[in-house]
Amino acid sequence: MTRTCLIALGFACFATIASAQMKADVKFEPGNFGTMVNGTVTGDEYFDYSLGAKAGQEMFADLKVSDTNGNGVVYFNILPPGSDGVAIYNGSIDGNTARIDLPEDGDYTIRVYLMGNDRDTGKTVGYNLDLSIQ
């Protein structure tokens, strides 16, 4: 291997180790079609919520900041089943309230993350995420 390849591989390994992320499965109480989850993200972390749904159902998601030690800029994306990171809804472009018809059966991921100065300076943002499937 060349020195450049070794440096690139070393950086890739470091980036993987440094970006440990959080994940939770979302379950609704019997008889309910929605729930509220809350949490925090710091810097380049993200939090993935997994939620099973069927094609043709409508997902509603609304994200609000609960507290912050920075600017309080938090976003979410909705990723379809089996996605490698490509979103069907991008909160940094489309806003922090989504109402979308789901294209396929499976587990959808709602990814909460920071951008801009809050991400770059390692700030922490608390949030409430209202989720429902109908």
Side-chain angles (χ1 to χ4, degrees):
M1 256 186 213
T2 67
R3 182 171 187 248
T4 304
C5 288
L6 289 173
I7 291 170
L9 285 173
F11 179 75
C13 291
F14 175 77
T16 301
I17 292 168
S19 62
Q21 305 304 326
M22 300 160 286
K23 183 175 177 137
D25 291 331
V26 176
K27 304 286 185 203
F28 299 150
E29 293 294 322
N32 290 334
F33 58 88
T35 192
M36 177 79 71
V37 296
N38 56 56
T40 61
V41 286
T42 301
D44 63 356
E45 293 177 343
Y46 57 86
F47 203 117
D48 282 351
Y49 294 95
S50 180
L51 181 60
K54 300 217 178 273
Q57 288 186 301
E58 181 181 74
M59 179 185 289
F60 171 80
D62 183 53
L63 180 67
K64 300 216 182 309
V65 172
S66 62
D67 57 34
T68 183
N69 64 359
N71 296 322
V73 181
V74 64
Y75 302 99
F76 72 92
N77 290 352
I78 300 173
L79 289 66
S83 174
D84 60 358
V86 176
I88 58 173
Y89 185 89
N90 187 324
S92 67
I93 296 169
D94 300 317
N96 278 346
T97 301
R99 188 176 301 274
I100 63 169
D101 292 324
L102 302 176
E104 60 186 296
D105 293 357
D107 291 331
Y108 286 80
T109 299
I110 298 90
R111 177 168 289 166
V112 179
Y113 62 96
L114 304 179
M115 289 180 67
N117 193 53
D118 282 356
R119 176 189 166 136
D120 296 343
T121 58
K123 300 297 183 187
T124 299
V125 177
Y127 61 86
N128 297 315
L129 178 61
D130 186 9
L131 293 170
S132 67
I133 300 281
Q134 292 188 37

